Amino acid sequence: MSSEPQATKQKLPVKQPSRGAGLLRSSGVVGIMTMLSRVLGLVRDMVIARYFGAGTAADAFFVAFKIPNFLRRLFAEGAFSQAFVPVLSSYRENRELSDVKRLVDAVAGSLGLVLLAVTLVAMLGAPVLTTVFAPGFLGDDVKFALASDMLRITFPYLLLISLTAFAGGILNSYDRFAVPAFTPVLLNLAMIAAAIFLAPLMDEPVMALAWGVFIAGSLQLFFQLPFLMRLGLMPRPRVDYRHEGVSRILKLMVPALFGVSVSQINLLLDTVLASFLQTGSVSWLYYSDRLSELPLGVFGIAIATVILPSLSRKHAAASSDQFAATLDWAARAVLLIGLPAAVALALLAEPLIATLFHYGEVTGRDVAMSAESLRAYSVGLLAFMLIKVLAPGFFARQDTRTPVKIGIIAMVANMVFNLALIVPLAHAGLALATSMSAWLNGYLLWRGLRQDGVWKSQPGWPKFLIQLTLANAVLAGVVLWLNVPVADWLAAGGVKRTADMAILVVAGVSAYFVTLLLCGVRLRQFRQK
């Protein structure tokens, strides 16, 4: 229990969400917003594929975009969010409003200064970063120069999106999930507009995408500021590294870099190794990764976003049973959605790639190669999603030692798997290695929670797993029955491919949920408060 005097504790002048809202409703809100973002993200990738294909320009842009995007996930949405939200939640539970405001101001100033310095250094050293992250480009002067030039434009996105994640962390801690979840929509709109309208005006058309990324970062940050003002927590940046809250956040961030973001490190290692393979490998991995991230982002990250503040508050209130019940709920919710998503991605790899990307410069071979890596990523999709909901079980308790040990083990394993599989399977081997290391990571996280006594399985698991198995078997049967040969998908026009895919999706989803209903699964079983 906190020793802070509770009688004088000042609350924020905002309406608190009703207890009945619960995790299911909050996850639904985040999931809907994220679905909108991911659908637009696929539209964005379709536009990029149509205009730039999978050649030199596309490979160069994907590297220039992946470097700040990787660091965003590693620092802003990975380590920082997992360290900041528990500390802010603790302040919200046990401190006065003035203490919360001082924490927000100190974090804004301290984080902003570091990010500004890192951004300036990175822009000056763009060729060095390109060499580190895509050493295979060194043999191609045009590709290397193009990637370095675009990196100078895209890297400030890290500064802007990190501050956006900071604002989003505050909003999430006060159960305002919709705004941060909607914000990525602006990135996709900006890049789509850049590809369609700005690219024709530039000497090097692909540079328009880099400028689209920069513009998007600015839009995302300024979009959230009015909502912070409404909460009364608009930051007034103040550099103060000796602030107790800032010190705690920094102490938690260092190991969290590995503990929560190992999957991102592994994906980046895939890009580094893919740069040594034939032209197109980086793009094939990018397109397949984007498809596998749709269910991960819509459901896995949505659930993780919602449970972290909830787990942090339950830990601060010493509610161990509710803490365990929340983790169990999250794992079941992930299995409910993640398993059929993985089955569908594996069975419909070529049709999905063809429907979304087989336009303009993307050839039938590009579809086949992307489908290979998509199947490999589908093997680890469930593991990726479980990692997202198991890691908060450590970070909500401000335990960062265990995840960092697990992260290092998984990262080393990924490199071993990469070296073993890259020769026989090329780019698909890199994707499969990432999936294998994700399963190792997820298992070790689960075992750690169980050993700590935090994971306590709730009743009904055997029955639930049998219900899932039956429903996924029916889903697979329906999809295989309705699907047509790959050649038919490649020969069809875009409208027919889209219509046929819609029929497959509706039929598969309907078969899955009807089977679950017949097996006794009900929505009320997933209501969590």
Side-chain angles (χ1 to χ4, degrees):
M1 296 293 292
S2 172
S3 60
E4 301 276 342
Q6 299 300 307
T8 59
K9 184 175 172 182
Q10 183 183 358
K11 295 291 186 180
L12 284 178
V14 294
K15 181 180 179 181
Q16 296 300 320
S18 66
R19 182 172 172 77
L23 297 180
L24 181 62
R25 184 179 300 177
S26 297
S27 298
V29 170
V30 176
I32 290 170
M33 295 297 182
T34 308
M35 172 67 83
L36 175 61
S37 170
R38 293 306 169 110
V39 169
L40 280 174
L42 288 175
V43 174
R44 177 194 80 191
D45 292 334
M46 291 169 65
V47 170
I48 292 174
R50 187 179 189 89
Y51 283 90
F52 303 102
T56 296
D59 278 3
F61 169 73
F62 290 141
V63 167
F65 183 41
K66 180 161 282 191
I67 293 173
N69 209 34
F70 160 74
L71 293 174
R72 166 186 68 86
R73 294 178 178 179
L74 189 65
F75 293 100
E77 295 178 359
F80 174 73
S81 292
Q82 296 288 10
F84 174 61
V85 172
V87 173
L88 181 61
S89 296
S90 177
Y91 268 65
R92 180 191 173 188
E93 282 290 311
N94 303 313
R95 303 290 185 97
E96 298 179 3
L97 172 60
S98 58
D99 294 322
V100 176
K101 285 186 174 180
R102 279 194 289 270
L103 172 66
V104 168
D105 293 346
V107 173
S110 304
L111 176 68
L113 181 62
V114 171
L115 289 170
L116 181 60
V118 169
T119 299
L120 292 175
V121 171
M123 292 174 69
L124 293 173
V128 176
L129 282 175
T130 304
T131 301
V132 171
F133 287 93
F137 285 7
L138 285 172
D140 188 329
D141 293 341
V142 174
K143 188 184 293 187
F144 182 86
L146 192 56
S148 299
D149 289 342
M150 284 192 287
L151 183 58
R152 292 190 177 95
I153 301 171
T154 60
F155 202 91
Y157 179 70
L158 175 64
L159 167 65
L160 297 166
I161 202 61
S162 296
L163 294 176
T164 301
F166 164 64
I170 298 172
L171 293 170
N172 285 337
S173 294
Y174 285 87
D175 300 326
R176 303 304 191 265
F177 297 109
V179 174
F182 175 80
T183 301
V185 169
L186 301 175
L187 169 67
N188 298 320
L189 291 176
M191 292 184 66
I192 291 170
I196 296 175
F197 302 111
L198 184 58
L201 304 178
M202 306 197 72
D203 294 333
E204 181 59 65
V206 77
M207 293 291 288
L209 295 178
W211 283 111
V213 171
F214 177 81
I215 293 169
S218 303
L219 292 174
Q220 288 175 295
L221 175 59
F222 288 106
F223 173 72
Q224 298 203 62
L225 296 185
F227 298 94
L228 287 181
M229 294 177 65
R230 192 175 301 173
L231 275 177
L233 286 174
M234 181 70 178
R236 300 179 64 181
R238 178 173 54 87
V239 179
D240 184 2
Y241 293 103
R242 290 180 295 179
H243 186 281
E244 184 265 345
V246 173
S247 299
R248 284 170 60 191
I249 292 168
L250 291 174
K251 189 177 295 184
L252 293 170
M253 274 186 67
V254 175
L257 291 175
F258 291 94
V260 77
S261 302
V262 166
S263 62
Q264 298 306 318
I265 296 173
N266 290 341
L267 288 172
L268 186 68
L269 291 174
D270 290 351
T271 302
V272 171
L273 293 175
S275 70
F276 289 100
L277 300 176
Q278 60 182 306
T279 294
S281 296
V282 173
S283 299
W284 298 332
L285 283 171
Y286 176 83
Y287 291 134
S288 55
D289 175 47
R290 288 292 298 163
L291 258 178
S292 68
E293 281 196 352
L294 180 61
L296 173 63
V298 171
F299 301 107
I301 295 177
I303 294 170
T305 298
V306 169
I307 67 169
L308 179 58
S310 176
L311 289 173
S312 299
R313 290 195 294 269
K314 287 169 183 174
H315 176 66
S319 302
S320 59
D321 289 342
Q322 292 184 20
F323 192 101
T326 298
L327 277 177
D328 186 274
W329 171 87
R332 294 191 195 213
V334 160
L335 283 171
L336 185 72
I337 301 298
L339 193 54
V343 170
L345 288 179
L347 295 178
L348 297 175
E350 284 91 355
L352 283 168
I353 296 289
T355 300
L356 294 171
F357 303 123
H358 186 43
Y359 305 96
E361 300 296 322
V362 176
T363 65
R365 182 170 180 271
D366 292 328
V367 171
M369 295 295 101
S370 298
E372 288 183 6
S373 49
L374 178 57
R375 282 199 178 89
Y377 279 136
S378 72
V379 172
L381 175 62
L382 190 57
F384 296 141
M385 296 176 74
L386 286 171
I387 289 169
K388 292 295 182 184
V389 300
L390 293 177
F394 292 95
F395 291 106
R397 297 180 293 129
Q398 300 185 25
D399 170 14
T400 54
R401 292 181 180 272
T402 304
V404 71
K405 294 175 184 177
I406 292 172
I408 291 173
I409 293 171
M411 188 164 56
V412 171
N414 181 64
M415 285 305 300
V416 173
F417 296 148
N418 274 335
L419 295 176
L421 297 174
I422 189 172
V423 174
L425 299 177
H427 70 289
L430 300 179
L432 183 59
T434 299
S435 294
M436 293 167 64
S437 66
W439 276 111
L440 176 62
N441 190 1
Y443 167 73
L444 293 176
L445 286 172
W446 173 79
R447 190 181 70 173
L449 290 172
R450 191 177 181 188
Q451 289 175 343
D452 289 347
V454 175
W455 174 273
K456 300 173 185 176
S457 296
Q458 306 297 301
W461 269 102
K463 179 181 178 181
F464 179 61
L465 291 176
I466 292 173
Q467 292 167 329
L468 280 182
T469 301
L470 290 173
N472 279 281
V474 172
L475 165 66
V478 169
V479 167
L480 289 173
W481 176 50
L482 292 177
N483 198 9
V484 297
V486 175
D488 293 350
W489 287 97
L490 296 176
V495 174
K496 178 170 173 50
R497 287 200 300 260
T498 302
D500 290 346
M501 179 56 63
I503 292 172
L504 273 174
V505 170
V506 171
V509 170
S510 299
Y512 177 70
F513 283 107
V514 167
T515 305
L516 285 177
L517 188 65
L518 293 175
C519 289
V521 177
R522 298 293 184 269
L523 181 63
R524 63 176 179 271
Q525 297 168 358
F526 288 87
R527 289 202 174 112
Q528 238 285 348
K529 299 206 175 174

